[in-house]
Amino acid sequence: MNVVFLLLIFLLVAGTVARPLPGDLTLIEAEALDAAPPPDAAVILADGTLVFGGTEGTPEDYVQERLATHPGEALRIVPDRDLPAARLVGIVARLREAGATEVRIVTERALR
């Protein structure tokens, strides 16, 4: 039993799960690309201003517009990095009170 267990551990440590990338491969760098929010998402600026469809509005207006055009879909918001967390929680609460059943926060993921 011990030999089988040690063999299993050895194979897990020594084996590769995925094929390694070729040594001469250079990956694309995306740091210089301009990031754009999804077209149906509302952007929340650092001061708490909600912008959707190119105009400012309230969380309630955003919910009503999205429910009219895309009923049953999740709302997506893109908060500014400098938006205080308490303000973000308050805006999400207003979205939920206005009838949003699901709110998704769009963030940036770094590969570091």
Side-chain angles (χ1 to χ4, degrees):
M1 183 72 170
N2 288 339
V3 173
V4 173
F5 179 72
L6 290 174
L7 183 59
L8 177 64
I9 297 297
F10 173 77
L11 291 175
L12 287 174
V13 172
T16 58
V17 177
R19 292 183 182 174
L21 296 173
D24 58 345
L25 175 70
T26 304
L27 296 175
I28 298 171
E29 292 183 17
E31 290 180 14
L33 297 178
D34 291 332
D40 62 341
V43 176
I44 304 174
L45 304 177
D47 64 356
T49 304
L50 189 91
V51 179
F52 58 95
T55 59
E56 291 182 17
T58 65
E60 293 80 11
D61 293 337
Y62 176 56
V63 170
Q64 293 308 315
E65 181 178 312
R66 288 292 297 159
L67 289 179
T69 57
H70 299 87
E73 289 187 13
L75 299 181
R76 292 193 283 180
I77 57 174
V78 183
D80 188 281
R81 180 183 306 249
D82 296 327
L83 179 71
R87 183 169 277 176
L88 175 61
V89 169
I91 292 171
V92 171
R94 287 179 62 189
L95 291 170
R96 301 288 300 229
E97 289 171 1
T101 56
E102 184 177 357
V103 178
R104 294 184 182 171
I105 299 173
V106 179
T107 61
E108 175 183 64
R109 173 187 267 177
L111 294 174
R112 299 189 210 292

